[in-house]
């Protein structure tokens, strides 16, 4: 989906390094981090070292933390049903550039939700 987003011009503002801006991307329900690894590979191929990435994996299962950190990403234990993603990852409104919704459908399709 990042290739399609790029083709639609979503990342055009990042050409020529994006003005030195850090691009922050959080994965909700990130599990072992494969989505963020794919994002990193996409940005590395498209922009090289011109774009600084901050990649954050959020998941309700703390057991994923060592795997996420081994990939060089930040891990935050977070339950999507609690809301407040920005508070959970310590960011203010406008500081998170993209959120990737991963394997969370099982959490948002319950009777309580």
């Amino acid at each position: 989906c990042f290739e399609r987003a790029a083709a639609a011009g979503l990342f055009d503002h990042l050409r020529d390094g994006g003005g030195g801006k850090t691009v922050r991307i959080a994965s909700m329900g990130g599990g072992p981090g494969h989505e963020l690894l794919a994002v990193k590979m996409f940005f590395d191929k498209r922009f090289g070292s011109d774009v600084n990435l901050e990649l954050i994996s959020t998941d309700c299962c703390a057991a994923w933390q060592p795997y996420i950190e081994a990939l060089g990403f930040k891990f935050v234990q977070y339950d999507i049903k609690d809301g407040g993603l920005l508070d959970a990852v310590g960011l203010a409104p406008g500081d998170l550039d993209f959120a990737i919704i991963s394997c969370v459908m099982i959490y948002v399709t319950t009777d309580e939700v």
Side-chain angles (χ1 to χ4, degrees):
C1 78
F2 271 81
E3 288 291 341
R4 285 183 286 200
L10 186 64
F11 307 118
D12 287 354
H13 67 288
L14 298 176
R15 288 193 187 136
D16 301 320
K21 180 183 184 301
T22 296
V23 177
R24 291 181 182 88
I25 302 171
S27 175
M28 299 169 67
H34 60 274
E35 291 97 344
L36 290 181
L37 181 59
V39 166
K40 181 181 180 328
M41 293 171 68
F42 169 83
F43 274 87
D44 285 350
K45 182 177 179 182
R46 185 166 289 267
F47 301 106
S49 62
D50 291 339
V51 173
N52 184 38
L53 293 176
E54 182 178 336
L55 302 175
I56 308 162
S57 179
T58 68
D59 200 287
C60 62
C61 180
W64 291 123
Q65 184 170 358
Y67 302 98
I68 298 301
E69 291 175 350
L71 291 170
F73 310 143
K74 178 180 177 181
F75 177 83
V76 174
Q77 189 171 5
Y78 166 76
D79 188 333
I80 192 171
K81 294 187 287 184
D82 294 341
L85 175 66
L86 291 177
D87 288 336
V89 298
L91 296 175
D95 287 345
L96 183 63
D97 297 290
F98 303 101
I100 300 171
I101 310 299
S102 185
C103 186
V104 296
M105 290 306 292
I106 61 171
Y107 299 108
V108 297
T109 57
T110 62
D111 288 340
E112 65 188 52
V113 178

